[in-house]
Amino acid sequence: MTKIAVFPGSFSPFTIGHQAIVERGLLIFDKIIIAIGENNDKKYFFSINDRIKWIQNVYLKHPKIKVKSYKGLTVDFCKKTGANFILRGLRNSNDFQFERNIAQTNNQLSNDIETIFFMTPPELSHISSTIIRDIIKNGGDVSQFLPKEINL
Ligand code: ADP
């Protein structure tokens, strides 16, 4: 069976923390779909097209990784794409509390979909897209937090 995982998130922007989770996911999955959730009620700092383009640039030469956007439930998107796994990253106990509820709810909605977590490497556990957006809003340089292919 081909093991396909969806890595859902806002990725606003995609950071070296996210990249570390994808790298670890590649150790066990045959294909990873990085999936940007589009929530109509949310106002995003970066456009969906920019976010897709940036992540595609990071994985241009990587046949196992696809980048897509989706609307609606993550479990429905998984079914549509043939994925049985959801990939997520854990930075700290706050992430764990939040992620556990989502993972258990998703599993209840669709019990053939399992969420697999990877711990972030400790040196990347402070990196968050929210803080990066704050630095950008205040004119700072965020290049050290982003994959080298992404220049904001
Ligand atoms: P969401 O809005 O769904 O939380 P994010 O783009 O913020 O989307 O995060 C997507 C996933 O990446 C989540 O599982 C989150 O815990 C994980 N993640 C975010 N930052 C890091 C990091 N620095 N290291 C590891 N995982 C991270």
Side-chain angles (χ1 to χ4, degrees), residues 7-11 17-18 21 88-89 91 95 99 120 124 127:
F7 182 26
S10 312
F11 306 116
H18 297 129
I21 299 303
R88 295 284 284 183
R91 285 167 289 188
D95 272 359
E99 295 289 341
T120 184
L124 303 181
I127 297 177

Side-chain angles (χ1 to χ4, degrees), residues 6 70-83 86 106 109-110 113:
V6 164
Y70 72 101
K71 285 186 176 147
L73 293 177
T74 304
V75 288
D76 288 341
F77 180 72
C78 288
K79 284 181 201 151
K80 221 170 80 185
T81 52
I86 293 173
N106 280 336
L109 287 174
S110 185
I113 297 177

Side-chain angles (χ1 to χ4, degrees), residues 16 59 69 73 81 104-105 115 126 140 144 146-147 152:
I16 51 175
Y59 297 108
S69 64
L73 293 177
T81 52
Q104 289 175 337
T105 306
T115 304
H126 61 294
Q144 62 185 310
L146 305 179
L152 299 190

Side-chain angles (χ1 to χ4, degrees), residues 7-21 42 70 87-91 95 98-99 102 117-121 124-130 133:
F7 182 26
S10 312
F11 306 116
S12 185
F14 189 83
T15 69
I16 51 175
H18 297 129
Q19 192 178 23
I21 299 303
K42 243 179 167 178
Y70 72 101
L87 172 63
R88 295 284 284 183
L90 292 176
R91 285 167 289 188
D95 272 359
F98 178 73
E99 295 289 341
I102 301 179
F117 297 99
F118 282 96
M119 296 293 299
T120 184
L124 303 181
S125 64
H126 61 294
I127 297 177
S128 88
S129 298
T130 309
R133 288 196 302 277

Side-chain angles (χ1 to χ4, degrees), residues 32-88:
I32 297 175
I33 302 168
I34 301 174
I36 306 181
E38 279 190 84
N39 180 341
N40 285 336
D41 303 335
K42 243 179 167 178
K43 194 95 192 77
Y44 293 106
F45 189 70
F46 299 113
S47 76
I48 193 92
N49 286 341
D50 280 347
R51 284 179 283 153
I52 290 176
K53 196 180 64 199
W54 293 331
I55 305 171
Q56 277 172 340
N57 275 343
V58 177
Y59 297 108
L60 265 185
K61 293 189 193 108
H62 220 300
K64 289 178 158 189
I65 296 171
K66 296 277 171 281
V67 188
K68 297 211 158 109
S69 64
Y70 72 101
K71 285 186 176 147
L73 293 177
T74 304
V75 288
D76 288 341
F77 180 72
C78 288
K79 284 181 201 151
K80 221 170 80 185
T81 52
N84 286 102
F85 301 96
I86 293 173
L87 172 63
R88 295 284 284 183

